């Protein structure tokens, strides 16, 4: 009896009832008559769920993510924003006659919580496309979940753990942004060649995103001939970094790479300057380490610090300026120089291009749409973006410096960084961790030569 | 008597309704799973809190940690060691019970608000343990492909079986608690809650009773832990963080920390032990007309030293 | 208690002392084993020990307020961490709007949080005096509400309070000078952290004077022993309660205003500092000022020594140590080191 209840017949019956009334019956009749489900009402709306974080350590980035996603929608579909709040509506978005509906979900950056929100959006609100989540471990949870929901298309937010696409490889999970290791492309070279470091230390928050960032730095720095003396991982929620800063060897170390996931920069830099003075020239940063919120909180203490970034913060090129102006026009309170704004902007851009290719046809669980989505490629504000076989982006990466006065300057643009990182990472390499990857000399990526 | 019958009728009606929910399609699949199943497994976790509070006078903030131990052990054995589901499930429950017994032994002389704090600390330790020790979890947590076929395999796409499993287990837990509080062990436990000094002088091993009771609570919570893994097909440290602890406690408090217990135990307790425990307190803090003993049981530890 | 329990207690205490002696010996070996030169372990030992003392001072300021409230009223104020965070944000706001100087900002934040706590007591905790569990649950709920309100108002970004110019920057101790490397130059330590240690000493002395020399202190001490009796003797216990809640909350606020300078202000710190305060007073014994001092010292030193001196990969587990300390103390002494059965 249990099996009968759980069977497909029961579910179809329920869906009919849930749909309720004549409309559903009529729609089904049409579908049956036409012999294909493609004939589902031409004006059926496309629901896009936007999953971001409005609680926890990443809460400050909530308005940035939603603004980025909506700006892309506005620019591509000619929709109009109503208000500039974090979730104020966008009206008139249409693709191939299908109106676009946005639904917002909000987590606290914990995988458990993200999964709960994703399930609400997918199973109850029944979104066709889920855009998100924001942070590393959330992404791993959601990509695992996406395997159980083959009829829904999942597009990553800014979550940048390597595992999400390289190891989980869910067929309906797409990432139009690069991963945390790719964000480090060029930084190892900068440390080795420009700063002249031979021996470096890695310090980072103790979880998957900083591991991934460290992996990118270590792979490139070591391939050139550098050595990693020590890797220090303060637990999340560390208040006083003194006991970790003193673990940096006193001699034989030229500098350290500091990768935080969220908002640890402020505490770390303050503690460091109390014990060992200015961080400039001694520290290179992970991508979130020089987030605009940290820079504005710390004032001049971050001056001159260099980090790897997926976006050319403060760039003066026309494409970037156009993007930055659009963000500021529609959502004046949001910084376009945040990778969270740009990340959600890119992901939404990819979604809309995919939808346009199939003229808004997401019938049959979106199979056609996903086939089109995998082939989407365009020239973004920060260079060309396309997907690899695991549906992870191949895009440019940037070396960015904090200038005095709290601005940013892009030092270098590295073209077409892919997830294998010049052959260092593959589905068979172990996931980045506290001690992996090992520091191996030789086989430098093409951009490091 | 009539009130009792009305209560029973109501309970039966609710049970019948819960059994009939899936075939009647009154709820969408989402609500069946996200509201129905979630309430049921959280309810089992809360039942373990209530069991300890109502019968042992121990308000525990460690139950989320204990179901975490069960869930993590199960998921670890399946994902990392490659065990089959059922051996892993029983190993998970066994580990949680052993852990509960160990905590119970450490906390055997701790009562009242100190017990609350100690179990909170245990909860935080377990959380940090799974957060920091990458070999068993790390912040990413563990992801299962599917649950055992008996509860529907892919429980995200096919939630109905898991719903029934949770419903049956909830009913079993309820019957088990009802049964347990009438056994000599249960009665002795209530006696210890109300007047440990008297029970000790009667020859009962007060501390052992407390420790064993905590292990029983752990056994109940471990069921919730396994169900939660079936339900989410993943478990991560955030599944047992302080928020989750508070949620479990809140469910127990809203349901009534001293409510979920069988009528018979109320009767047996009401006549003899309770007035004793109340007397000292009500003399000090004024009368408590009509409130019976429910409200004093939780504050009685003041006399427990 | 039976003789068996006593033996178990002594054995447990002996084991505890043994572990403590071993830990201290290990730290001593690591710190001084490689000689007293600039390349030995001494400079780092000074750095982490001073940091640990700073943290201990801060924890004491916060926990003393917590233990004072508990001692007199048996209220476990689970919203104490929220009061701490409120104090920190208040000091930050005063500075942002350049309302008053830094020093007055600290004073005003302290008084503001004290007042806030007193109001909270009058509204939510006065009518259910004596129902410990209910009050703990009410304050848990309040802590959640306050936390969300502060997140909504102050946002999720990290902030900190700038110290006055005189205290900005580092004290150059002029010893153990490195010629190169990351730590080039002589041993330094931030001026402001010395202030935090000083503040803890001042608060401790102040509390001792208040408790030993004033009528209010007499009532509190009496209340710790037997609240019902104090009240029966005709003392206006309600007024004393309100005052104790004011002082206890104000101390949390003071801790927040100071911590805002050398730590960071961020959502979630409220829960963290509630846990710290709980650990401190449970280890030391609820209601005991000396216990709070000892507990704060133990916690501060463990937090900074553990990552530095635990061998290799174990430093990742340093955060577990503080809670293991707690469990160990409670299993041997169920009411903390200086606590009494109540």
């Amino acid at each position: 009896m249990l099996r009968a209840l759980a069977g497909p017949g029961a579910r179809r019956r329920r869906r009919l009832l849930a749909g309720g009334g004549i409309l559903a019956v009529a729609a089904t009749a049409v579908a049956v008559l036409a012999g294909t489900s493609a004939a589902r009402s031409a004006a059926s709306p496309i629901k896009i769920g936007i999953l971001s974080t409005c609680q926890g350590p990443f809460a400050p980035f909530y308005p940035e993510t939603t603004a980025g996603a909506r700006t892309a929608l506005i620019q591509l579909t000619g929709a109009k924003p109503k208000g500039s709040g974090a979730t104020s509506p966008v009206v008139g978005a249409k693709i191939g006659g299908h109106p676009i509906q946005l639904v917002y979900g909000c987590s606290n950056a914990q995988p458990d919580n993200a999964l709960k929100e994703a399930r609400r959006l997918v199973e109850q609100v029944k979104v066709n496309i889920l855009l998100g989540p924001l942070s590393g471990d959330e992404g791993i949870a959601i990509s695992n979940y996406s395997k159980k929901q083959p009829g829904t298309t999942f597009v990553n937010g800014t979550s940048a753990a390597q595992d999400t696409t390289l190891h989980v490889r869910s067929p309906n999970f797409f990432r139009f942004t690069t991963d945390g290791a790719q964000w480090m492309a060029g930084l190892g070279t900068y440390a080795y060649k420009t700063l002249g470091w031979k021996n470096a230390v890695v310090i980072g928050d103790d979880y998957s995103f900083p591991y991934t960032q460290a992996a990118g730095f270590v792979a490139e720095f070591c391939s050139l001939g550098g050595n990693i003396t020590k890797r220090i991982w303060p637990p999340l929620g560390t208040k006083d970094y003194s006991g970790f800063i003193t673990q940096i060897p006193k001699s034989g170390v030229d500098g350290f790479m500091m990768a935080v996931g969220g908002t640890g920069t402020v505490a770390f830099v303050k503690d460091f300057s109390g014990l060992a003075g200015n961080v400039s020239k001694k520290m290179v940063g992970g991508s979130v380490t020089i987030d605009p919120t940290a820079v504005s909180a710390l004032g001049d203490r971050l001056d001159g610090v260099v980090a790897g970034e997926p976006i050319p913060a403060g760039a003066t090129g026309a494409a970037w300026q156009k993007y930055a102006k659009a963000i500021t026009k529609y959502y004046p309170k949001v910084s376009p120089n945040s990778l969270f704004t740009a990340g959600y902007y890119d992901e939404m851009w990819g979604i809309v291009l995919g939808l346009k290719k199939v003229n808004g046809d997401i019938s049959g669980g979106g199979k056609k749409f996903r086939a089109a989505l995998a082939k989407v490629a365009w020239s973004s504000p920060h260079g060309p973006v396309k997907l690899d076989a695991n549906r992870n982006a191949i895009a440019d990466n940037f070396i960015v410096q904090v200038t005095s006065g709290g601005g940013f300057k892009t030092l270098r643009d590295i073209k077409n960084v892919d997830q294998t990182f010049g052959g260092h990472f593959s589905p068979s390499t172990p996931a980045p961790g506290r001690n992996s990857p090992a520091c191996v000399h030789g086989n430098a990526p093409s951009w490091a030569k | 008597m009539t009130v009792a019958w009305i209560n029973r009728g109501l309970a039966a009606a609710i049970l019948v309704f819960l059994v009939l929910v899936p075939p009647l399609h009154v709820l969408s699949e989402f609500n069946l799973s996200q509201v129905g199943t979630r309430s049921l497994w959280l309810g089992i976790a809360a039942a373990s809190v209530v069991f300890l509070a109502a019968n042992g006078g121990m308000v525990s903030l460690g139950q989320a940690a204990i179901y975490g131990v069960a869930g993590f052990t199960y998921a670890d054995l399946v994902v990392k060691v490659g065990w089959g589901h059922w051996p892993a499930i029983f190993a998970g429950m066994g580990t949680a019970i052993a852990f509960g017994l160990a905590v119970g032994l450490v906390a055997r002389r701790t009562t009242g608000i100190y017990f609350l704090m100690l179990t909170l600390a245990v909860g935080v330790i377990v959380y940090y343990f799974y957060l920091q020790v990458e070999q068993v979890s790390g912040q990413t947590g563990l992801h299962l492909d599917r649950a055992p076929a008996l509860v529907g395999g892919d429980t995200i796409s096919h939630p109905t079986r898991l719903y029934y499993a949770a419903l049956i287990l909830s009913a079993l837990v309820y019957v088990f608690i009802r049964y347990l509080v009438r056994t000599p062990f249960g009665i002795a436990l209530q006696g210890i809650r109300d007047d440990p000094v008297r029970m000790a002088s009667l020859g009962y091993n007060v501390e052992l009773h407390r420790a064993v009771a905590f292990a029983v609570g752990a056994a109940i919570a471990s069921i919730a832990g396994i169900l939660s893994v079936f339900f989410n097909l993943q478990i991560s440290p955030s599944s047992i963080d302080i928020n989750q602890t508070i949620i479990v406690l809140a469910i127990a408090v809203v349901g009534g920390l001293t409510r979920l217990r069988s009528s018979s135990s109320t009767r047996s307790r009401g006549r003899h032990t309770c007035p004793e425990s109340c007397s000292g307190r009500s003399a000090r803090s004024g009368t408590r007309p009509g409130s019976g003993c429910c409200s004093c049981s939780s504050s009685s530890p003041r006399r427990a030293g | 208690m039976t003789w068996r329990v006593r033996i178990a207690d002594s054995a447990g205490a002996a084991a505890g002392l043994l572990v403590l002696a071993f830990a201290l010996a290990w730290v001593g070996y690591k710190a001084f084993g490689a000689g007293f030169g600039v390349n030995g372990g001494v400079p780092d030992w000074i750095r982490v020990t001073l940091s640990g003392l700073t943290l201990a001072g801060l924890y004491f300021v916060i926990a003393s307020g917590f233990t004072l409230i508990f001692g007199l009223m048996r209220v476990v104020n689970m919203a104490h961490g929220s009061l701490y965070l409120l104090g920190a944000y208040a000091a930050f706001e005063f500075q942002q709007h350049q309302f008053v100087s830094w020093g007055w900002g600290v004073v005003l934040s302290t008084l503001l949080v004290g007042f806030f706590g007193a109001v909270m007591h009058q509204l939510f905790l006065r009518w259910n005096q004596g129902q410990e569990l209910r009050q703990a649950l009410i304050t848990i709920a309040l802590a959640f509400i306050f936390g969300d309100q502060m997140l909504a108002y102050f946002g999720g970004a990290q902030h900190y309070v700038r110290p006055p110019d005189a205290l900005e920057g580092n004290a150059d101790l002029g010893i153990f000078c490195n010629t190169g490397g990351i730590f080039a130059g002589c041993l330094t330590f931030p001026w402001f952290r010395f202030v935090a240690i000083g503040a803890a000493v001042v608060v401790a002395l102040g509390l001792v004077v208040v408790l030993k020399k004033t009528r209010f202190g007499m009532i509190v001490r009496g209340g710790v022993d037997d609240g019902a009796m104090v009240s029966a003797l005709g003392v206006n216990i309600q007024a004393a309660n309100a005052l104790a809640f004011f002082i206890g909350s104000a101390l949390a606020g003071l801790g927040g205003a100071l911590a805002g300078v050398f730590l960071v202000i961020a959502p979630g710190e409220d829960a963290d500092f509630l846990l710290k305060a709980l650990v401190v007073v449970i280890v030391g014994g609820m209601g005991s000022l000396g216990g709070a001092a000892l507990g704060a010292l133990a916690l501060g030193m463990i937090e900074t020594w553990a990552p530095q001196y635990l061998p290799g990969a174990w430093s990742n587990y340093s955060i577990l140590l503080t809670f293991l300390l707690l469990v160990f103390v409670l299993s041997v002494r169920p009411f903390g080191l200086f606590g009494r059965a109540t």
Side-chain angles (χ1 to χ4, degrees):
Chain A
M1 177 185 147
L2 285 179
R3 180 159 300 164
L5 289 174
R11 253 177 295 126
R12 186 169 312 137
R13 226 167 32 240
R14 188 171 329 138
R15 206 170 288 154
L16 267 180
L17 284 168
I22 302 154
L23 200 70
V25 176
T28 318
V30 171
V32 168
L33 284 176
T36 161
S37 48
R40 241 172 59 173
S41 155
S44 66
I46 299 168
K47 283 189 189 171
I48 303 179
I50 298 179
L51 178 60
S52 178
T53 61
C54 65
Q55 296 170 328
F58 297 96
F61 311 131
Y62 187 66
E64 300 182 347
T65 54
T66 57
R70 282 174 298 169
T71 305
L73 192 65
I74 292 165
Q75 286 184 304
L76 281 175
T77 64
K80 295 273 175 292
K82 278 181 93 178
S84 62
T87 55
S88 52
V90 170
V91 292
K94 259 187 190 174
I95 295 169
H98 300 268
I100 308 277
Q101 291 179 2
L102 295 183
V103 192
Y104 297 95
C106 152
S107 81
N108 62 359
Q110 299 289 353
D112 215 51
N113 201 278
L115 185 64
K116 198 163 85 184
E117 267 304 274
R119 290 188 70 171
R120 181 180 71 81
L121 291 173
V122 172
E123 294 168 35
Q124 187 179 36
V125 182
K126 300 203 186 303
V127 297
N128 307 102
I129 301 161
L130 183 71
L131 167 55
L134 181 137
S135 121
D137 286 315
E138 292 182 293
I140 296 174
I142 300 300
S143 62
N144 272 296
Y145 168 66
S146 69
K147 288 180 173 172
K148 305 282 186 294
Q149 296 291 357
T152 307
T153 306
F154 292 78
V155 179
N156 182 61
T158 49
S159 157
Q162 193 181 58
D163 275 14
T164 312
T165 47
L166 196 62
H167 288 126
V168 179
R169 283 183 288 168
S170 166
N172 51 333
F173 191 93
F174 298 75
R175 176 152 75 186
F176 290 103
T177 50
T178 44
D179 76 19
Q182 288 169 280
W183 293 358
M184 292 288 95
L187 192 65
T189 311
Y190 179 83
Y192 190 85
K193 295 202 166 154
T194 312
L195 294 175
W197 294 1
K198 296 285 173 286
N199 299 295
V201 167
V202 166
I203 304 178
D205 282 348
D206 198 9
Y207 77 98
S208 68
F209 170 69
Y211 297 160
T212 306
Q213 292 238 286
F217 176 77
V218 169
E220 187 174 326
F221 184 69
C222 289
S223 72
L224 289 166
N227 293 305
I228 299 297
T229 315
K230 203 168 184 181
R231 305 183 204 207
I232 302 166
W233 303 105
L236 278 172
T238 297
K239 283 203 194 336
D240 187 337
Y241 285 88
S242 307
F244 296 93
I245 291 166
T246 51
Q247 286 181 47
I248 301 172
K250 302 298 168 304
S251 58
V253 172
D254 304 306
F256 61 93
M257 181 264 185
M258 164 68 188
V260 291
T263 44
T265 312
V266 177
F268 177 85
V269 171
K270 276 173 62 187
D271 289 345
F272 186 87
S273 56
L275 296 173
N278 204 330
V279 291
S280 175
K281 302 280 177 203
K282 295 175 184 167
M283 173 172 105
V284 292
S287 309
V288 187
T289 310
I290 59 162
D291 182 82
T293 58
V295 173
S296 69
L298 280 166
D300 55 4
R301 293 200 209 201
L302 280 177
D303 281 3
V305 170
V306 168
E309 295 281 342
I311 53 164
T316 48
W320 182 259
Q321 283 300 322
K322 192 175 160 220
Y323 149 82
K325 279 198 184 114
I327 297 279
T328 334
K329 178 179 167 196
Y330 300 122
Y331 302 100
K333 278 179 248 161
V334 167
S335 164
N337 285 330
S338 156
L339 65 89
F340 298 101
T341 315
Y344 273 72
Y345 176 86
D346 286 341
E347 307 282 7
M348 181 60 97
W349 197 279
I351 291 173
V352 176
L353 288 189
L355 284 172
K356 281 192 162 176
K357 269 193 178 175
V358 294
N359 209 18
D361 177 9
I362 46 160
S363 57
K367 231 177 231 157
K368 227 164 91 187
F369 164 58
R370 280 195 293 279
L373 200 57
K375 294 198 194 81
V376 162
W378 76 97
S379 179
S380 78
H382 48 85
V385 171
K386 61 173 187 260
L387 292 184
D388 64 17
N390 294 330
R391 295 159 298 284
N392 188 76
I394 300 171
D396 290 4
N397 201 58
F398 304 89
I399 298 300
V400 173
Q401 186 169 36
V402 181
T403 58
S404 56
F408 297 97
K409 191 172 111 195
T410 297
L411 302 180
R412 190 179 167 200
D413 174 356
I414 295 132
K415 303 283 182 202
N416 296 324
V417 178
D418 71 346
Q419 197 174 23
T420 67
F421 211 70
H424 283 271
F425 305 117
S426 74
S428 60
T429 49
R434 284 183 188 144
N435 293 309
S436 68
C439 184
V440 182
H441 292 179
N443 189 22
S446 56
W447 61 83
K449 280 167 188 157
Chain B
M1 213 55 198
T2 20
V3 175
W5 278 110
I6 291 171
N7 274 342
R8 269 169 221 180
L10 215 60
I14 290 172
L15 192 67
V16 168
F17 171 74
L18 287 176
V19 169
L20 290 179
V21 160
L24 287 179
H25 309 306
V26 286
L27 290 178
S28 69
E29 216 160 68
F30 171 82
N31 284 329
L32 179 71
S33 142
Q34 290 289 310
V35 179
T37 314
R38 185 189 290 275
S39 319
L40 288 170
W41 73 257
L42 278 172
I44 294 176
S48 77
V49 177
V50 174
F51 164 74
L52 290 174
N55 299 291
M58 306 186 273
V59 180
S60 168
L61 286 178
Q63 299 312 103
I66 284 168
Y67 79 62
V69 169
F72 272 113
T73 309
Y74 160 50
D76 264 325
L77 288 174
V78 170
V79 175
K80 302 214 162 175
V81 187
W83 283 25
H85 281 283
W86 291 106
I89 287 167
F90 288 113
M93 291 179 64
T95 313
I97 294 168
F99 179 70
L101 188 64
V103 173
L105 285 172
V106 167
R108 67 195 188 281
R109 284 186 287 142
T110 313
T111 50
I113 211 77
Y114 277 84
F115 185 84
L116 188 87
M117 304 296 146
L118 180 66
T119 48
L120 178 65
V122 167
V124 176
I125 288 179
V126 172
Y127 167 75
Y128 277 118
F129 176 79
Y130 284 108
L131 188 68
Q132 289 298 315
V133 183
E134 278 188 313
Q135 286 76 11
V136 291
S137 165
Q139 208 211 359
T140 310
L142 300 154
H143 298 271
L144 273 73
D145 271 345
R146 46 200 312 117
L150 187 70
V151 294
D154 177 359
T155 53
I156 288 179
S157 318
H158 309 287
T160 315
R161 274 194 168 213
L162 182 59
Y163 172 79
Y164 276 114
L167 187 60
I168 292 166
L169 284 170
S170 300
L172 285 178
V173 164
Y174 180 75
V175 171
F176 171 72
I177 294 178
R178 273 189 65 127
Y179 161 77
L180 193 69
V181 296
R182 290 191 226 187
T183 61
F185 170 77
I187 305 280
L189 193 61
Q190 292 155 40
I192 287 166
R193 171 201 60 198
D194 292 333
D195 198 335
V197 178
R198 177 188 278 195
M199 291 303 280
S201 55
L202 284 173
Y204 285 91
N205 187 336
V206 169
E207 294 167 2
L208 190 65
H209 269 80
R210 284 206 179 114
V212 171
F214 200 77
V216 172
I220 299 168
S222 72
I223 297 173
I226 303 290
L227 282 175
S228 83
V229 178
F230 289 168
F231 176 73
N232 284 319
L233 291 181
Q234 70 109 33
I235 185 163
S236 62
S238 64
S239 317
I240 56 167
D241 65 3
I242 188 113
N243 287 323
Q244 193 67 19
T245 302
I246 301 294
I247 286 172
V248 171
L249 181 73
I251 294 170
V253 170
V254 169
L257 266 185
T258 49
R259 267 296 171 84
L260 192 146
R261 59 170 174 229
S262 74
S263 50
S264 72
S265 77
T266 316
R267 252 182 277 128
S268 69
R269 204 172 53 76
R271 293 286 175 272
H272 311 291
T273 46
C274 196
E276 295 290 330
S277 78
C278 282
S279 57
R281 172 143 288 275
S282 45
R284 236 182 288 161
S285 56
T287 51
R288 241 184 247 285
S291 70
C293 303
C294 293
S295 52
C296 58
S297 60
S298 53
S299 45
S300 60
R302 230 184 148 173
R303 277 166 51 92
Chain C
M1 296 289 152
T2 65
W3 58 271
R4 252 185 307 162
V5 170
R6 246 176 280 136
I7 286 183
D9 266 8
S10 326
L17 287 176
L18 213 65
V19 170
L20 181 69
F22 177 76
L24 288 176
W26 175 256
V27 168
Y29 166 72
K30 290 289 243 185
F32 306 111
F36 292 83
V38 68
N39 292 321
V42 180
D44 274 349
W45 183 79
I46 294 174
R47 289 188 184 103
V48 289
T49 306
L50 281 176
S51 299
L53 285 176
T54 321
L55 281 184
L58 175 65
Y59 293 156
F60 173 76
V61 171
I62 297 162
S64 60
F66 189 84
T67 207
L68 180 74
I69 291 174
F70 178 82
L72 184 64
M73 284 178 274
R74 293 292 177 278
V75 173
V76 177
N77 181 14
M78 303 288 265
H80 201 69
S82 310
L83 296 175
Y84 156 85
L85 192 57
L86 186 68
Y89 274 128
F92 174 71
E93 283 290 300
F94 283 135
Q95 185 169 62
Q96 281 305 96
H97 298 292
Q98 299 184 328
F99 201 58
V100 284
S101 70
W102 176 83
W104 281 110
V106 171
V107 172
L108 281 181
S109 321
T110 307
L111 293 177
L112 184 81
V113 174
F115 182 70
F116 189 82
V119 170
M120 188 177 99
H121 170 243
Q122 292 299 312
L123 288 181
F124 298 106
L125 299 171
R126 188 175 164 171
W127 55 274
N128 46 28
Q129 178 68 39
Q131 300 172 47
E132 299 160 18
L133 197 69
R134 172 176 282 181
Q135 292 184 322
L137 295 175
I138 288 175
T139 50
I140 286 179
L142 287 175
F144 263 70
I145 296 168
F146 295 158
D148 273 355
Q149 293 310 310
M150 284 190 276
L151 177 64
Y153 186 75
F154 297 105
Q158 288 198 331
H159 301 294
Y160 68 97
V161 181
R162 283 179 188 279
D165 291 341
L167 297 173
E168 181 110 51
N170 298 336
D172 193 332
L173 303 182
I175 43 173
F176 297 111
C177 301
N178 278 308
T179 46
I182 305 261
F183 291 81
C186 297
L187 193 63
T188 62
F189 198 71
W191 278 116
F192 192 83
R193 289 198 170 221
F194 289 117
V195 173
I197 299 175
V201 174
V202 170
V203 165
L205 291 177
L207 280 176
V208 168
V209 169
V210 166
L211 288 179
K212 299 275 181 210
K213 302 284 179 198
T214 64
R215 185 180 142 77
F216 168 71
M218 223 159 64
I219 296 170
V220 170
R221 279 182 291 140
V224 170
D225 287 337
D226 193 337
M229 195 64 210
V230 170
S231 152
L233 285 172
V235 170
N236 185 350
I237 198 89
Q238 286 302 347
N241 282 350
L243 186 58
F245 223 98
F246 176 81
I247 296 177
S249 307
L251 285 171
L254 174 64
L258 292 177
V261 177
F262 67 94
L263 298 177
V264 291
I265 314 167
E269 296 295 293
D270 46 354
D272 275 349
F273 272 87
L274 172 65
L275 271 177
K276 305 282 181 205
L278 281 174
V279 170
V280 168
V281 297
I282 293 171
V283 167
M286 292 270 230
S288 155
L289 208 57
L294 192 67
L297 191 65
L299 187 62
M301 293 330 285
I302 285 184
E303 281 191 355
T304 49
W305 275 359
Q308 175 73 13
Y309 293 117
L310 279 176
W314 288 89
S315 69
N316 289 116
Y317 310 130
S318 54
I319 203 158
L320 285 170
L321 267 190
T322 51
F323 294 100
L324 287 178
L325 167 84
L326 175 64
V327 169
F328 176 75
V329 167
L330 278 193
S331 63
V332 179
R333 289 192 57 89
F335 297 97
L337 293 176
F338 293 106
R340 279 174 295 179
T342 48

